[in-house]
Amino acid sequence: MNILEILTTLTPSEIKYRDSSSSQNNFYNNLPTYKKSNNLGNIVKFSLNDMIKTTEFKVLLRDKYDYPTIFFKKHSRYSIVPLHIGDYIEINYVLKGEVQAYIEDENYLLKENDLCLIASNTIHTLGETTEDDIIINILISPKYFSPSILSQLSEGNSIYNFILHCLSPGEKKPAYLLIRESSDLKEILLGIFEEQYRHQLEYVKIMNAFLLILLLRIIRSENYELHDNYNLEESISNYIKSNFRDISLKKAADFFSFHPNYFSSLVHKLTGKNFKSLILEERLKMAAYYLKETDWPINKIVDELGISNTSFFYKKFFEFYGQTPKNYRDNIKNK
């Protein structure tokens, strides 16, 4: 049999779900949930490790530390999956047939060759499927996107920025991407499953190469619908504003789940400024606020800002505002 025929064959779990719709309840009842305020009821929280246990036909790639980073699986037909979120980026691709997707109170009919990419904090599920519907689920841990992987992806477009948003635990807003009629992805996905099934020489390297091609093809897609409410540059700016007193490049990079070197480069690309300059600007703006709104002495303001060198502060304040802190305060009072 070819790989499409293998994927089409009913698994023991699919037969069980077809014959008894309640057979999954015990598994879902044991997973953690949280309550949503818009009458959706309990939302199940899935982890990547939870999902690895749920299917017979799967493709699992690991990093050099043996940590699972990518999980490909065939969506179990006849299964009833509750509304959920995950600790991973999820991609659903309709290989054959169709399926109803429920995402953040919206319904979408996904047809053959349609793809949906979903950020981790986005409530969603797939509707009922029949024997004619083959959907591929791809679950990607943020750990997969190392600096070396990110450096190979095409930067600067909406889908690339969306992927960066999905990687950030500091960004909690739901977001998802729909790509219609992406038939060029089908052979790539079938190739990944074929390599896993045949286990021929260097199959893991070939699967990783296929995966990179898949992501690049997604990024260059033109027929897409982006549903989001985020701005990575704004998120970084807000983080700096909230943490400028004791911030460091490593802390910020960890918060946004990037390697410090890559995060530094990303900040420069997004803002045109380096990370240290952004922190200094925020401290100087806050210094101006204190000079205007308080009677604190300069030394107290410098200490409040987390600046250890007073001479450095005076020099940078003059460069930024064109006057000394004392003159700035006097001019404000005179106005």
Side-chain angles (χ1 to χ4, degrees), residues 64-331:
K64 62 182 179 181
Y65 304 108
D66 203 36
Y67 184 91
T69 56
I70 307 288
F71 178 36
F72 293 81
K73 71 183 185 74
K74 181 180 72 170
H75 177 74
S76 293
R77 287 166 289 184
Y78 303 104
S79 63
I80 301 173
V81 183
L83 287 166
H84 62 276
I85 60 173
D87 62 358
Y88 45 78
I89 300 167
E90 180 171 339
I91 297 176
N92 295 308
Y93 183 81
V94 182
L95 200 66
K96 179 184 175 184
E98 61 184 36
V99 66
Q100 195 79 31
Y102 303 89
I103 313 172
E104 290 291 326
D105 295 330
E106 299 290 341
N107 295 332
Y108 301 93
L109 180 62
L110 302 181
K111 298 184 178 181
E112 186 170 326
N113 299 324
D114 287 349
L115 176 145
C116 182
L117 193 157
I118 303 170
S120 60
N121 292 292
T122 306
I123 298 170
H124 67 284
T125 191
L126 296 179
E128 294 184 23
T129 49
T130 69
E131 193 166 339
D132 296 326
D133 306 316
I134 307 296
I135 293 90
I136 300 300
N137 306 138
I138 309 170
L139 313 182
I140 308 178
S141 166
K143 292 180 181 293
Y144 168 76
F145 290 95
S146 64
S148 62
I149 293 295
L150 286 170
S151 67
Q152 297 180 72
L153 302 181
S154 306
E155 301 179 9
N157 64 30
S158 297
I159 301 180
Y160 176 82
N161 291 337
F162 173 80
I163 290 174
L164 292 183
H165 160 70
C166 291
L167 298 179
S168 169
E171 182 57 77
K172 300 298 185 183
K173 297 172 184 175
Y176 55 98
L177 171 74
L178 301 175
I179 300 178
R180 302 293 186 179
E181 301 177 0
S182 49
S183 57
D184 59 336
L185 303 181
K186 178 176 287 186
E187 292 305 316
I188 300 172
L189 284 165
L190 289 176
I192 291 172
F193 277 92
E194 181 81 29
E195 290 296 328
Q196 168 67 13
Y197 186 75
R198 305 298 178 193
H199 274 222
Q200 295 179 322
L201 181 66
E202 301 287 15
Y203 74 97
V204 173
K205 291 181 180 178
I206 294 173
M207 287 163 61
N208 276 304
F210 270 134
L211 178 58
L212 182 59
I213 294 171
L214 179 73
L215 292 171
L216 289 169
R217 288 280 181 86
I218 289 173
I219 286 174
R220 83 174 186 185
S221 299
E222 296 180 354
N223 187 21
Y224 66 88
E225 307 165 27
L226 191 57
H227 301 262
D228 64 74
N229 185 22
Y230 80 96
N231 183 301
L232 186 60
E233 181 180 350
E234 181 181 337
S235 296
I236 293 172
S237 176
N238 289 338
Y239 179 82
I240 291 173
K241 288 177 182 178
S242 301
N243 299 276
F244 67 87
R245 291 174 179 83
D246 59 354
I247 199 171
S248 71
L249 177 63
K250 186 179 186 311
K251 282 183 180 179
D254 288 346
F255 182 82
F256 287 97
S257 291
F258 293 120
H259 187 278
N261 292 342
Y262 184 83
F263 181 72
S264 177
S265 174
L266 176 63
V267 168
H268 190 268
K269 288 175 183 177
L270 290 173
T271 67
K273 301 174 183 177
N274 64 46
F275 185 71
K276 286 185 177 179
S277 295
L278 291 174
I279 297 170
L280 179 60
E281 283 188 14
E282 194 58 41
R283 285 172 170 166
L284 294 175
K285 290 175 184 177
M286 188 56 66
Y289 171 81
Y290 289 143
L291 289 167
K292 178 182 177 182
E293 300 295 338
T294 75
D295 292 325
W296 291 355
I298 304 299
N299 286 344
K300 178 175 174 58
I301 292 175
V302 171
D303 185 63
E304 180 69 18
L305 297 175
I307 297 175
S308 57
N309 189 322
T310 304
S311 298
F312 173 81
F313 166 74
Y314 274 96
K315 177 184 176 182
K316 293 302 179 181
F317 191 93
F318 187 85
E319 289 176 0
F320 195 74
Y321 286 102
Q323 52 191 317
T324 66
K326 182 180 184 305
N327 289 340
Y328 182 90
R329 174 175 271 168
D330 291 343
N331 289 334

